[in-house]
Amino acid sequence: MPKNKRYNDRPILLTEGEIYIDGVKIYDGVNAKIMAHFDTWTGKTIGSRGKRSSRTKNVTYDGTIKRRRKTPWARKILQEYLKSGKTPEFTIQGVQSDKDSDYYENNGSETVTAVGCVLTGDLTLLSLEAEGDVLDDELNFNAFDVNFS
């Protein structure tokens, strides 16, 4: 039996990684996702008897970052837009690096960089609660493109 045989599965722990907005590490991040969405055509031909064919037409990107509010970053994005009328863009980079996972052992660290990101959806300006929960900002965004490394 090999001396260093591992017995336990080592899936990726989602807590092992980092997220950056415009090159600044987000220490108050709770979770982050960058997603790809396939726009797919599906159809069939005469005589195909229920069998359908599919073809990818396009891919779009979006995501969400949830963070404990420690900075007025999102409010500054809003103020910048209101003042200039120009759509603010930013870059989001996520690094998944669970060094004790089977994935890392076989593939190393994984980095996804979303460029041309623009906020979408709602932005909480003020939130008060009698129960005393903490304030999390959920930032939704579209991305123009993604790069992998």
Side-chain angles (χ1 to χ4, degrees):
M1 183 156 86
K3 185 177 183 179
N4 294 326
K5 178 163 175 40
R6 304 253 342 182
Y7 293 95
N8 295 295
D9 287 335
R10 298 176 297 149
I12 295 174
L13 291 177
L14 297 180
T15 58
E16 301 302 311
E18 300 167 333
I19 193 80
Y20 299 86
I21 298 178
D22 285 339
V24 177
K25 186 173 180 179
I26 304 302
Y27 287 102
D28 53 356
V30 175
N31 65 41
K33 287 185 179 182
I34 299 173
M35 305 289 292
H37 303 280
F38 289 90
D39 181 11
T40 307
W41 169 87
T42 302
K44 58 184 184 174
T45 59
I46 296 172
S48 61
R49 301 196 178 197
K51 294 180 181 155
R52 299 178 342 159
S53 180
S54 295
R55 181 175 175 188
T56 300
K57 299 189 305 183
N58 193 16
V59 178
T60 58
Y61 307 101
D62 65 15
T64 303
I65 294 177
K66 189 174 182 182
R67 55 193 294 245
R68 307 269 190 257
R69 185 178 294 175
K70 290 186 180 176
T71 67
W73 180 85
R75 185 174 61 212
K76 287 179 181 177
I77 293 288
L78 173 62
Q79 289 171 322
E80 178 185 324
Y81 170 70
L82 293 173
K83 182 178 179 180
S84 71
K86 296 179 181 177
T87 301
E89 290 186 10
F90 47 96
T91 298
I92 296 176
Q93 184 175 62
V95 181
Q96 197 161 41
S97 56
D98 181 5
K99 294 179 181 175
D100 191 34
S101 69
D102 294 325
Y103 185 92
Y104 185 89
E105 185 176 298
N106 293 324
N107 304 292
S109 181
E110 184 173 54
T111 301
V112 176
T113 304
V115 297
C117 296
V118 175
L119 288 177
T120 63
D122 300 324
L123 180 63
T124 302
L125 300 176
L126 177 69
S127 181
L128 301 170
E129 183 179 315
E131 297 299 320
D133 205 357
V134 297
L135 180 57
D136 287 332
D137 283 327
E138 189 164 311
L139 307 173
N140 298 297
F141 59 90
N142 286 338
F144 182 78
D145 201 4
V146 297
N147 301 307
F148 305 98
S149 57

